[in-house]
Amino acid sequence: MDKLQLHRTEIKAAPLLERFPFPFQGDSYRYSNNSRALTPPVCTDITPEYYEEIEEKRKLLDRYPERTFQAAPHTLEAQWEIMSMLMKELASVHADYFSLDMKGDQWTFYNRLLDETCTFVFGDPSTLPYEPLDFIGRHIQEDLIYLQQRDGDLYMDAGQLCFPANWSLAFDLGMTYLQFHSPVPIYSDSGLAEKVLGFLLRMEAGKPWTRINWTLNVGPRLDTSPEAFGEWGREKFGLNLDNVGEIMHLRSEDQRLFRIPGSNGILFSIHTHLLPFQELIRNQVWAERFCKVLEDLPDPLADYKGFISYKPLLIEYLKRHI
Ligand code: HEM
């Protein structure tokens, strides 16, 4: 049997419907800088989906290394800094599940959920089985993107990305903030992306931010990478009023932003949550609001998010259940 399945500690949490980060504050949704101060200033969240998601992550990392982990060589120092920050956070915020022993440069990291221990020399890559960002990403549910700040700009120079909402790390690597946002309609050509870039360049260490991004998912699959489009893209063709509730999911990304002081870059983490429509309608306030948001959504956004062809079906389903 798979090692990950042998040691399962129960991870206590509220039911999905109560902890799902519902993305809408009102009956209308437009792109905006919806970032707010992150309190408490913590990157990681451990949910009951931990085991299945870590198993899926590690499978993807092993099978598709180029699409799931990329790092320019000059990011190595920043990677150690991020790994150190996250290990210390895990050991203090999730002390039931993780601990860290530091004796000079000799560090030992324990993951009690997976019953794994790793001893390494901090700063010596030959003592870790993977690059530091890749190593720590294998213990948490978040995807991790590192942006290096130089010449008054931000560059996507490293990342571990297993659960993308239809974008490619291998394709975006080395791009600037404005370049990798260029496919986003309205955001990229209204001046908003430039404003947000200015905000990010001014971000200070110790003052992290958070925002929620959303889209829709056909099926419960977290890995909707463009490279795997052949596997998930065709699923939308079989949708009808009887199966929408089970198949369609609201996909909410809890994104967090941290200034990494030593390297002066930014860590961008993404924790993805999926809520099937048939669960969502159990919260009637959410169902009504979501329906109004869809009705009011500008076509370029529905088109970019990939559901414009079946948006009327989704609205019809929600109306029937309100
Ligand atoms: C700094 C770290 C960030 C990174 C690495 C990042 C990366 C990305 C990427 C790769 C995409 C997909 C683009 C594509 O279709 O190829 C995207 C979409 C988007 N990003 Fe960012 N982003 C960041 C921060 C932000 C912030 C702070 C905002 C604030 C408004 C923002 C707004 C958006 C929007 C509106 C979309 C379109 C999402 C959708 O409609 O589904 N991003 N981002």
Side-chain angles (χ1 to χ4, degrees):
M1 191 194 287
D2 191 330
K3 182 166 182 280
L4 287 178
Q5 292 182 348
L6 284 175
H7 311 276
R8 294 219 161 174
T9 304
E10 192 194 348
I11 296 169
K12 291 200 177 69
L16 178 62
L17 196 59
E18 285 167 37
R19 62 187 159 84
F20 182 80
F22 187 68
F24 309 115
Q25 309 301 319
D27 295 341
S28 174
Y29 176 84
R30 296 291 183 273
Y31 290 147
S32 65
N33 186 7
N34 54 348
S35 309
R36 53 190 171 78
L38 173 67
T39 47
V42 166
C43 175
T44 53
D45 200 8
I46 308 287
T47 71
E49 293 80 20
Y50 181 85
Y51 288 102
E52 60 189 274
E53 291 181 9
I54 296 296
E55 201 168 345
E56 178 67 6
K57 251 190 167 191
R58 292 182 177 192
K59 194 180 79 190
L60 291 165
L61 283 157
D62 291 345
R63 261 189 215 166
Y64 309 109
E66 291 86 14
R67 90 175 192 224
T68 51
F69 181 75
Q70 292 277 345
H74 65 262
T75 61
L76 196 56
E77 218 165 293
Q79 291 191 49
W80 283 106
E81 202 183 345
I82 292 167
M83 191 183 85
S84 154
M85 171 190 130
L86 292 176
M87 281 185 174
K88 287 173 186 166
E89 173 181 307
L90 289 169
S92 63
V93 178
H94 308 288
D96 285 352
Y97 305 144
F98 301 91
S99 53
L100 181 64
D101 260 10
M102 294 182 291
K103 294 192 178 68
D105 287 345
Q106 186 90 10
W107 290 28
T108 301
F109 177 66
Y110 304 91
N111 179 335
R112 277 189 279 281
L113 292 170
L114 302 178
D115 195 20
E116 290 180 359
T117 302
C118 182
T119 298
F120 57 94
V121 178
F122 189 85
D124 179 353
S126 70
T127 61
L128 269 186
Y130 307 101
E131 289 191 42
L133 192 68
D134 193 8
F135 179 81
I136 194 62
R138 288 167 190 260
H139 292 268
I140 60 178
Q141 289 159 269
E142 286 74 17
D143 283 316
L144 302 170
I145 306 295
Y146 175 68
L147 304 180
Q148 181 93 56
Q149 184 160 328
R150 58 178 180 275
D151 308 328
D153 213 334
L154 289 170
Y155 293 81
M156 193 184 290
D157 278 353
Q160 190 200 66
L161 181 75
C162 294
F163 304 142
N166 201 11
W167 65 279
S168 163
L169 173 64
F171 182 75
D172 284 2
L173 195 81
M175 285 192 192
T176 66
Y177 184 85
L178 296 181
Q179 286 167 343
F180 62 73
H181 277 105
S182 64
V184 186
I186 303 172
Y187 183 70
S188 62
D189 53 19
S190 63
L192 180 56
E194 283 86 349
K195 271 190 208 146
V196 173
L197 172 63
F199 155 79
L200 294 170
L201 291 170
R202 292 189 300 274
M203 260 182 62
E204 293 171 31
K207 293 187 182 166
W209 293 85
T210 181
R211 65 183 292 268
I212 303 284
N213 190 52
W214 70 277
T215 189
L216 300 185
N217 231 65
V218 187
R221 180 185 170 118
L222 284 168
D223 164 29
T224 50
S225 51
E227 292 91 337
F229 185 76
E231 292 163 29
W232 57 268
R234 67 177 95 96
E235 308 226 337
K236 63 182 172 192
F237 294 111
L239 282 176
N240 57 52
L241 274 178
D242 293 329
N243 63 21
V244 159
E246 192 187 339
I247 296 179
M248 283 309 300
H249 293 67
L250 176 58
R251 176 181 181 118
S252 198
E253 296 186 349
D254 180 340
Q255 306 181 339
R256 303 184 185 183
L257 295 146
F258 299 80
R259 170 71 66 191
I260 304 301
S263 326
N264 197 35
I266 288 180
L267 171 67
F268 178 70
S269 65
I270 312 165
H271 191 133
T272 303
H273 303 264
L274 292 175
L275 184 66
F277 275 29
Q278 65 189 14
E279 276 286 299
L280 188 149
I281 56 169
R282 292 176 53 219
N283 181 328
Q284 284 286 296
V285 176
W286 286 6
E288 215 166 307
R289 191 178 292 173
F290 183 35
C291 186
K292 287 182 178 155
V293 164
L294 288 181
E295 283 182 306
D296 175 72
L297 199 70
D299 281 352
L301 267 71
D303 190 25
Y304 170 72
K305 288 173 185 284
F307 57 82
I308 194 161
S309 62
Y310 53 94
K311 193 176 101 162
L313 177 71
L314 306 179
I315 292 173
E316 175 67 20
Y317 172 85
L318 290 169
K319 283 195 166 154
R320 285 196 185 191
H321 289 90
I322 291 168

